[in-house]
Amino acid sequence: MEEYAIRFRHTAGDFGPYNFPKACTVLQLKERVWQEWQNPSVQAKLRGSPPPPKSAQDLRVIFGGRMLENQKQVKELHQALGLGGAGAGAGGDPGG
């Protein structure tokens, strides 16, 4: 199964990189980040920043200057940005 290593940027630091199958949706990405955000070690790292959202659906993921739609698959976004077969990372950092 082919995967992307994706890192998520937060004002207090990065989450990841995490490996996701190319067929996963943006909502699945959000769910993983939201779960990690509940981890006490991550909460300690983010101390002083706003609290985590109430649910994964409340997260906003922006890639390539676009807010991503929950139902889109990662591979669709990657192709739309013209990145071919390379890995995807936050902020256009191929390979995560």
Side-chain angles (χ1 to χ4, degrees):
M1 176 187 317
E2 292 187 54
E3 295 185 330
Y4 291 122
I6 301 176
R7 180 181 1 200
F8 297 90
R9 179 116 328 143
H10 184 278
T11 56
D14 290 355
F15 288 81
Y18 304 113
N19 292 326
F20 292 96
K22 289 184 177 184
C24 77
T25 64
V26 170
L27 181 57
Q28 290 170 313
L29 301 178
K30 289 179 176 186
E31 289 169 345
R32 173 71 185 269
V33 170
W34 190 80
Q35 286 174 348
E36 290 295 323
W37 209 330
Q38 308 309 308
N39 182 323
S41 65
V42 172
Q43 287 185 3
K45 179 180 176 182
L46 301 177
R47 188 159 305 173
S49 65
K54 302 241 184 270
S55 74
Q57 291 193 20
D58 294 330
L59 285 171
R60 290 177 292 178
V61 176
I62 300 170
F63 181 69
R66 299 178 189 166
M67 192 168 332
L68 305 183
E69 300 172 29
N70 287 341
Q71 72 277 9
K72 291 283 187 184
Q73 289 184 320
V74 173
K75 65 182 175 185
E76 293 176 58
L77 303 165
H78 202 229
Q79 292 165 352
L81 292 170
L83 297 174
D93 177 18

